[in-house]
Amino acid sequence: MENPFHACASCIHFRATREELGMKYYCTRLGYETKPHYQFNCWSPKERVRKLMEKREGTCS
């Protein structure tokens, strides 16, 4: 089953910056520009995303 949370925007390595010409999205781990909806195997969810995943799985008390 696909993980609905798995996307660059929910990863600890994702950074967004506002530039003159719009938003730029960057992966600090991979070292290059990305998009919020992209998915890579190196995904490490942010703490709040991890907690939400646990809550939805029913493993959080």
Side-chain angles (χ1 to χ4, degrees):
M1 178 168 64
E2 253 185 62
N3 183 342
F5 298 98
H6 184 159
C8 284
S10 63
C11 182
I12 62 173
H13 303 289
F14 182 79
R15 299 292 179 266
T17 57
R18 188 175 310 273
E19 306 279 329
E20 278 188 33
L21 299 176
M23 294 297 292
K24 292 287 183 178
Y25 305 105
Y26 187 78
C27 176
T28 59
R29 182 181 187 279
L30 298 176
Y32 54 79
E33 210 171 315
T34 185
K35 299 278 185 188
H37 64 278
Y38 284 3
Q39 295 181 352
F40 296 99
N41 291 334
C42 61
W43 182 68
S44 299
K46 295 176 182 177
E47 183 63 28
R48 66 176 186 245
V49 173
R50 190 174 10 255
K51 287 180 181 180
L52 183 58
M53 289 169 55
E54 290 173 355
K55 182 178 178 182
R56 293 229 176 132
E57 289 175 2
T59 59
C60 190
S61 54

